[in-house]
Amino acid sequence: MPSPATAPPPPASLKRIVTASLIGTTIEWYDFFLYGSAAALVFNKLFFPDSDPLVGTLLSFLTYAVGFAARPLGALVFGHYGDRLGRKKLLVLSLLLMGGATFAIGLLPTHATVGTAAPVLLTVLRLVQGFALGGEWGGAVLLVSEHGDARRRGFWASWPQTGAPAGQLLATGVLSLLTAVLSDAAFGSWGWRIPFLLSGVLVIVGLWIRLSVDESPVFKQALAQAEARKADRAGEAEKLPLVAVLRHHWRDVLVAMGARMAENISYYVITAFILVYATTSAGVSKQTALNAVLIASAVHFAAIPAWGALSDRIGRRPVYLMGAVGVGLWMFPFFSLIDTGGFGNLILAVTVGLVLHGAMYAPQAAFFSEMFATRMRYSGASIGAQFASVVAGAPAPLIATALLSDYGSSTPIALYVIAAAVLTVIAVAAAEETRHRDLADVAPPADADRTTAPAADARTL
């Protein structure tokens, strides 16, 4: 029998929670990916016009990477307060920060107007984006994981993960439409601003939906028990969630970071760097490259829940390992197909790559959630996921572009992704299977987040 905190909620309630998380993460990823696509297509000319085209692209991707540098800070801050105050409040704040920064980018003056102040302002807003996204992911997946039916947690928790391809689909779709109907001059002059300004409308819709959901019942139960113990004169104050995570879950944090290597690096090579490689090395037009990513993102969106459901049947680790091994094996065929310059081959290369990526990304939400105790789950999952992004996703397009510039070949780029896949296989192979865990029963040692805690209460800490 499931515990009261993890009993399945009514179907309508669960669907509303999943919808709220999905729409919120879609908007946040739309904002984040929009920047990546614009960095590959126009920011090198608008904000770094004095550089060689490829160097300008490198500088543009450098500002792109800055957003990842802020994600660990977002994970720490949002994780701390999310474990103390609840998931919902922090998710509302993250959406406001991300949407506001993206809208402001749409209003930025370019280098031609204000000189070097333009890339500085762009970098600051990118930092805000990264900070917000660093706090968004953990809260969104936990809100669903902690509400959902434990038997289908992998499936339900994978839906917020579809916010990534949905955001990519939306961002790429808007850019593809604009590049199709506008001339290069018009798009470079003012058209690029439109998708950034649209974020303001999307945020209003996202806030309306996100404010309508309830706080996680697992968290509310754990908070009530923690407050009761705190009122007990024999009890002592809780430790900071970060301290508890690093003391009792350091191994899980390392596993999460390792698991993110292939997932993060492959995704940004396949979706962001591809816009550079296909247009500069394979002679493919911007429109063709964008359309290929658009089609592949739609398939990616559909594949993620299927992989999540499979993880409920055979476990998180087997599905994750299939994705890591698959991505590593696909890299050489991936670039070979792109080198042909054919649209069909380009679609096949990106689609297969993203489907294999989905095998890692889909079970990740449930997998990471099940590793940590309730009162430190937001911090633990966020730290593991976002600290990895600094060394994985952040430099991936930058490293890939630099390798292409130095060697003029896709071979070192493929080897780079394969090395990441090896690291992920090692990390996931060393992890424990978590599929059968009840989130209310995932307990650290008895003193995990306070100096003295009754053993009977450790279950929902």
Side-chain angles (χ1 to χ4, degrees):
M1 293 292 291
S3 67
T6 57
S13 174
L14 181 55
K15 289 178 181 178
R16 185 174 68 251
I17 293 160
V18 170
T19 300
S21 292
L22 171 57
I23 290 177
T25 53
T26 296
I27 294 169
E28 298 237 13
W29 283 115
Y30 165 81
D31 292 345
F32 204 75
F33 289 143
L34 180 62
Y35 189 103
S37 297
L41 296 173
V42 295
F43 279 0
N44 58 332
K45 300 174 183 176
L46 295 173
F47 294 94
F48 308 99
D50 299 329
S51 304
D52 171 84
L54 198 56
V55 173
T57 301
L58 281 168
L59 292 173
S60 185
F61 274 143
L62 186 59
T63 63
Y64 176 70
V66 163
F68 287 84
R71 284 166 69 170
L73 180 60
L76 290 173
V77 174
F78 279 78
H80 172 82
Y81 288 103
D83 281 329
R84 289 297 179 91
L85 304 177
R87 288 53 165 130
K88 178 180 173 179
K89 296 182 179 68
L90 275 298
L91 285 173
V92 169
L93 178 59
S94 70
L95 189 60
L96 284 172
L97 285 174
M98 176 67 86
T102 305
F103 186 82
I105 290 174
L107 300 175
L108 274 183
T110 63
H111 188 280
T113 304
V114 296
T116 55
V120 171
L121 292 171
L122 182 67
T123 302
V124 170
L125 291 175
R126 183 59 176 173
L127 283 168
V128 176
Q129 280 190 323
F131 179 79
L133 190 61
E136 162 70 20
W137 181 83
V141 299
L142 292 187
L143 198 63
V144 175
S145 295
E146 293 178 344
H147 271 96
D149 180 355
R151 293 171 299 177
R152 303 187 68 197
R153 184 181 298 127
F155 171 74
W156 289 117
S158 71
W159 278 101
Q161 300 291 75
T162 65
Q168 180 76 65
L169 192 66
L170 189 58
T172 306
V174 171
L175 285 172
S176 182
L177 177 63
L178 289 172
T179 56
V181 301
L182 297 177
S183 66
D184 287 345
F187 182 77
S189 175
W190 55 269
W192 68 272
R193 298 182 183 275
I194 294 174
F196 288 92
L197 297 176
L198 282 175
S199 180
V201 178
L202 296 175
V203 166
I204 293 173
V205 175
L207 283 175
W208 176 67
I209 295 174
R210 189 160 272 186
L211 287 169
S212 69
V213 302
D214 295 327
E215 181 57 77
S216 153
V218 171
F219 174 79
K220 287 193 289 188
Q221 180 185 3
L223 180 61
Q225 292 186 358
E227 290 296 326
R229 286 192 300 273
K230 187 177 179 180
D232 185 349
R233 293 181 180 179
E236 297 182 16
E238 291 180 306
K239 294 179 181 178
L240 294 177
L242 173 61
V243 174
V245 166
L246 296 181
R247 180 177 178 184
H248 298 288
H249 285 289
W250 61 269
R251 185 177 182 275
D252 295 318
V253 169
L254 291 178
V255 167
M257 291 179 66
R260 286 275 281 170
M261 290 295 123
E263 179 268 306
N264 223 214
I265 290 172
S266 66
Y267 188 79
Y268 291 107
V269 168
I270 293 169
T271 60
F273 173 71
I274 184 65
L275 299 178
V276 175
Y277 184 82
T279 55
T280 59
S281 296
V284 175
S285 68
K286 292 179 181 178
Q287 185 67 43
T288 300
L290 283 169
N291 287 343
V293 174
L294 189 68
I295 293 169
S297 294
V299 178
H300 193 210
F301 180 91
I304 287 176
W307 286 120
L310 183 61
S311 79
D312 285 327
R313 295 179 64 87
I314 67 173
R316 317 300 183 211
R317 293 171 69 250
V319 175
Y320 213 114
L321 288 170
M322 281 191 282
V325 172
V327 161
L329 294 175
W330 184 244
M331 276 301 102
F332 280 111
F334 172 79
F335 285 109
S336 295
L337 287 168
I338 295 172
D339 288 337
T340 66
F343 183 52
N345 285 341
L346 187 60
I347 293 174
L348 178 62
V350 180
T351 300
V352 173
L354 287 182
V355 169
L356 292 170
H357 169 270
M360 294 181 283
Y361 200 55
Q364 189 179 98
F367 190 29
F368 289 8
S369 298
E370 290 158 349
M371 289 181 182
F372 302 95
T374 303
R375 289 287 281 158
M376 60 190 75
R377 185 171 292 133
Y378 201 145
S379 295
S382 296
I383 291 169
Q386 303 307 333
F387 273 68
S389 69
V390 176
V391 295
L398 189 65
I399 291 173
T401 303
L403 290 172
L404 179 63
S405 177
D406 289 344
Y407 296 96
S409 168
S410 62
T411 299
I413 304 167
L415 293 174
Y416 167 53
V417 179
I418 290 170
V422 171
L423 288 175
T424 291
V425 168
I426 293 171
V428 176
E432 296 179 2
E433 179 55 58
T434 61
R435 173 168 60 114
H436 296 295
R437 293 181 182 174
D438 185 330
L439 292 186
D441 290 332
V442 178
D447 63 344
D449 71 342
R450 43 176 304 188
T451 54
T452 60
D457 290 335
R459 185 176 66 89
T460 56
L461 288 177

